[in-house]
Amino acid sequence: MLVSYQWLKDYVDLQMGPEELAEKLTMSGIEVESVSSFNPGITNTVVGKVLSVKKHPEADKLFIAQVDIKDEISQIVAGIDNFQAGDLVPVAKPGAVLPGGFKIKKSKLRGVTSNGMLCSAQELGLELAHDYGILVLDQDYPVGMDIAAALGLDDWILELGLTPNRSDCLGLLGVAYEVSAVTGAPLKNEFPELSTAKEGIQDLVEVTIIDEDLCSRYSARIVKNVTIKPSPLWMQKRLLAVGIRPINNIVDVTNYIMWECNQPLHGFDYDRIKDQKIIVRKADAGEVLVTLDEQERKLDESMLVITDPSGPVALAGVMGGLSTEITEQTRTVLIEAACFEPTTIRRTSRNLGLRSESSLRFERGTDPEGTIRAASRAAQLMAQLSSGQVVNGVVDEYPIPAAAQVIPLRRDRARKIIGLDISDQKIEGIMKGLYFETEESGNLLNVIVPTRRPDITREVDLVEEIARIYGYEHIETSLPRGVITQGRKTREQKLEGLAKKLLTSFGLYEAITYSFIHPRQYDDLMLDTNDPLRNVVKVYNPLSEEQSVMRTTLLGNLLNAVKYNANRNINDIRLFELGAVFIPTESSLETLPQERQTLALVLAGDWGRENWCQKPEQVDFYDLKGILELFVQKMGLKNCSFTPVSHSTFHPGRAAEILIDGEKLGVLGEVHAEVMSRFDLEGKVCAAEIDFSRILKYANIHIHFNSLPKYPAVLRDIAVVVKNTISSDRISREILDTAGELAEDLTLFDVYQGEQIPSGYRSLAYSIVYRSRDKTLTDKEINDLHQKVIDSLVKKFEAHIRE
């Protein structure tokens, strides 16, 4: 935001220089990034009065002027004669320096001496509208006056680095309020009285707001019988000072008021509006508008437009339409001053690649209570600069009136937060200096915050205002106090670190994927329609549909990672991700979802690399199961088991649940062929997903030392024939439970189906290691214990012992 120091003085009675003002604003929280002179480098150039003009005797295109520059009468040869005797013009005397380092010298042109140069606006560094020839000045400048002072080039430009919440300072009046509060200088915010014609506006224009949630207010005024011409020099100079190119008196007024009041305006050619009806609505899909830059814009239903009965005439808050632009033929102007919903303007501006000073202000929010004042101020200036007449009255559609906030302020609380003993009178004085009205209510001070300050919504915001206006420099520096404790990781952090370390040591690589996903993932994973994982948290303002919901599973992202690598000829993939999934608790937006730590693994391609003594083998279900078995063992989980399960994401008969004491930890399996097809994958992929929060619950990473055994072990084998429906895990648990502490180890070393085994049955062969830590076991003790194991298997599973 560029602020002209001289322009700012119109609204606040400043008694300090620009550098001191910049320091005070910066110390109050409004950072001034730079202070620079508006003078482009003009020296020794003054206001001169033309006494006479005649043709050069030796050149048809040269003219000789006699010019009074107060100290002397100078003869100057000019190349154009758009001036006459009595006009005031800029005179660069010999020795003068003009913008660009151009030096003026005394010279002779076709035998005639020229003591300097008459200057155009461009030669003075001013890009004025309709610039042609020598700049002819107004008649109220004294002869010999320095041209920089006469043109207001002795101005200083302050560049403010505003934070997004301080949208009120995007207008000079807002900056003036801030300067008044910081310096105590009185505010001058009264505008000249508006004179209007007798004709009323109500019969001239009709305004209808269809989408009231996107346009909370729309105010319109009309100025008739205008004459389009360049703006006066003072207005053009002010616009140039803040980086705006002058165009004509009507357009310049809208830009001037935007910079003055922080209220973007738009001027329509009233006679080009069909039926004199303004309609504010969303664009229809595929609707087209040719904007002022003569570009055809294809609109969509998210964009807000200003229309008449024939179609769009402007993109609300972004850019006007070519069909109703102000031209030299315009005689009646309709002034629009509106308040649009910021998100809509931001989205429209971004989607169309149209960013302007107007859209910037609407994106950050404008004051709905300021529309009529800005429209009336614009009408007054248009009438003044174009010899027009302001039609009486305002059309004001205000479906959603804004109310000033009343915030209770605890002064003791403010003093405690700031750390200074600021008196009640001083606090109330600061509020009044900010032009906030106050009311006493017991121990509270009720502060009425005007609508121009949308950044103040809570008591702590008022405390911040008190601190910065009182002066941050008054707050003494102090060292932090408190009990110093040694930082250490929590149990959960240690377990997460251990889990990642283990999985990487198993040959897996960690992946980190987005928490936002496409809802199509749930269909690609073939989850049942009533699966709880389909209950998701939706993002209300997503960057795209690809990231429109928060994930409830990690599997989809990991399968996409496999696809991404496979597309780049990386087929042997071993990935894991340990991250949060988001489970909605209620439909209300005010209730945060549950963030549950989840671990997912995926294997694809071959395991190992080919060398002279071995060939790589394709990964399968048992590779993944082996990794998880070792993982839960290293995490200190006991009594874990794997049970066959049917799951829509995994291949039938190749999926299992992981259980601990009967509680489900997760699921693993070979990914279903249809899921593979939907993710555009080939070969075999195995995946698992585990509720890591339950691993945290049962994990035990404390290391217990056991001494080496003193007594010998005894190895016994046993082969049992059982039904195919009985899992090896159940047999193993029964053996260990029956043998108790004397069973030191158990290994399944053979599974057989074929001859000598009935159909529907299989033979499972186990090796059991018996050992006592207290004594050497006798043959009788071992035989009795082994028989007890056999009897238990026969009784519980109807097992047959193979001899």
Side-chain angles (χ1 to χ4, degrees), residues 243-388:
I244 298 177
R245 181 175 62 88
I247 298 175
N248 59 50
N249 52 351
I250 301 302
V251 175
D252 290 352
V253 165
T254 61
N255 287 328
Y256 186 91
I257 299 304
M258 175 180 69
W259 221 265
E260 180 180 68
C261 300
N262 188 28
Q263 174 60 59
L265 304 177
H266 185 67
F268 295 98
D269 187 328
Y270 171 81
D271 296 319
R272 295 186 177 188
I273 299 174
K274 185 176 181 181
D275 299 336
Q276 283 66 58
K277 291 183 179 180
I278 292 291
I279 305 165
V280 185
R281 62 169 173 82
K282 287 182 180 178
D284 296 329
E287 208 164 15
V288 173
L289 171 67
V290 179
T291 47
L292 288 173
D293 56 1
E294 300 184 3
Q295 297 294 315
E296 184 175 278
R297 311 285 181 178
K298 188 173 181 181
L299 312 179
D300 61 48
E301 295 171 327
S302 69
M303 300 174 182
L304 189 68
V305 290
I306 312 300
T307 74
D308 62 15
S310 66
V313 295
L315 266 173
V318 179
M319 185 176 283
L322 190 64
S323 63
T324 55
E325 74 167 330
I326 302 297
T327 66
E328 292 184 358
Q329 289 71 44
T330 299
R331 293 295 172 262
T332 304
V333 177
L334 172 69
I335 304 170
E336 167 197 280
C339 184
F340 300 119
E341 198 275 323
T343 304
T344 300
I345 304 303
R346 184 182 304 113
R347 184 184 294 115
T348 300
S349 175
R350 183 188 65 211
N351 290 346
L352 295 179
L354 285 174
R355 190 164 179 82
S356 62
E357 293 290 347
S358 173
S359 66
L360 169 66
R361 284 160 174 78
F362 280 123
E363 286 174 19
R364 297 193 178 183
T366 57
D367 180 9
E369 289 294 301
T371 58
I372 291 183
R373 189 182 191 211
S376 299
R377 169 69 166 153
Q380 175 259 320
L381 280 175
M382 286 183 188
Q384 174 186 331
L385 303 183
S386 68
S387 304

Side-chain angles (χ1 to χ4, degrees), residues 387-661:
S387 304
Q389 294 86 43
V390 180
V391 173
N392 187 35
V394 181
V395 173
D396 184 34
E397 289 296 313
Y398 200 2
I400 308 176
Q405 286 198 80
V406 179
I407 302 176
L409 174 64
R410 295 168 290 176
R411 285 162 285 200
D412 289 339
R413 175 67 175 162
R415 283 187 279 265
K416 183 176 180 180
I417 292 174
I418 298 171
L420 293 175
D421 187 18
I422 307 174
S423 67
D424 290 355
Q425 293 76 17
K426 183 64 177 177
I427 290 175
E428 189 170 353
I430 290 173
M431 293 296 106
K432 289 182 178 179
L434 289 164
Y435 295 86
F436 295 175
E437 296 181 13
T438 58
E439 296 176 351
E440 291 285 350
S441 178
N443 294 327
L444 298 176
L445 183 67
N446 288 332
V447 180
I448 304 170
V449 180
T451 53
R452 63 181 171 84
R453 289 296 302 273
D455 58 308
I456 298 178
T457 59
R458 304 169 297 169
E459 181 187 43
V460 71
D461 296 327
L462 292 175
V463 174
E464 181 185 3
E465 293 297 295
I466 295 168
R468 69 183 192 84
I469 300 301
Y470 187 77
Y472 292 130
E473 66 274 15
H474 296 125
I475 301 176
E476 295 183 2
T477 57
S478 61
L479 292 173
R481 294 190 298 268
V483 178
I484 298 177
T485 58
Q486 180 182 359
R488 58 172 60 92
K489 290 184 177 181
T490 63
R491 175 180 178 272
E492 289 74 16
Q493 290 172 327
K494 290 178 180 178
L495 289 171
E496 286 184 15
L498 175 62
K500 293 179 179 181
K501 185 177 180 180
L502 286 172
L503 291 169
T504 53
S505 71
F506 297 162
L508 278 71
Y509 294 89
E510 183 178 6
I512 300 175
T513 62
Y514 286 113
S515 298
F516 304 120
I517 64 172
H518 197 300
R520 187 181 60 236
Q521 272 196 21
Y522 299 103
D523 294 328
D524 292 344
L525 290 171
M526 293 176 55
L527 295 179
D528 296 334
T529 55
N530 59 349
D531 194 303
L533 295 181
R534 287 185 176 271
N535 184 21
V536 297
V537 177
K538 295 182 179 179
V539 181
Y540 273 74
N541 188 26
L543 295 175
S544 68
E545 190 178 6
E546 296 288 333
Q547 297 179 330
S548 59
V549 299
M550 301 190 77
R551 65 189 183 189
T552 56
T553 175
L554 304 180
L555 287 180
N557 282 349
L558 285 187
L559 290 177
N560 280 326
V562 173
K563 174 185 175 182
Y564 181 89
N565 283 275
N567 289 340
R568 288 155 180 79
N569 293 322
I570 303 173
N571 299 309
D572 301 336
I573 300 164
R574 299 178 291 279
L575 298 175
F576 76 91
E577 180 171 10
L578 179 54
V581 297
F582 303 87
I583 310 301
T585 51
E586 296 180 13
S587 59
S588 171
L589 285 177
E590 297 182 3
T591 304
L592 293 175
Q594 175 192 355
E595 294 188 37
R596 190 171 68 203
Q597 287 296 99
T598 301
L599 173 65
L601 298 83
V602 63
L603 305 179
D606 293 336
W607 191 273
R609 293 186 178 182
E610 183 174 1
N611 56 52
W612 66 272
C613 65
Q614 68 175 22
K615 293 187 178 296
E617 296 183 359
Q618 188 177 43
V619 297
D620 59 18
F621 171 86
Y622 295 102
D623 290 319
L624 182 60
K625 179 173 178 286
I627 289 173
L628 290 175
E629 285 177 328
L630 187 56
F631 175 74
V632 296
Q633 176 189 338
K634 294 293 186 181
M635 293 295 290
L637 275 71
K638 297 181 179 180
N639 300 324
C640 282
S641 60
F642 293 79
T643 303
V645 69
S646 176
H647 193 288
S648 56
T649 302
F650 298 106
H651 195 291
R654 301 177 193 172
E657 282 185 338
I658 310 172
L659 305 174
I660 180 169
D661 290 334

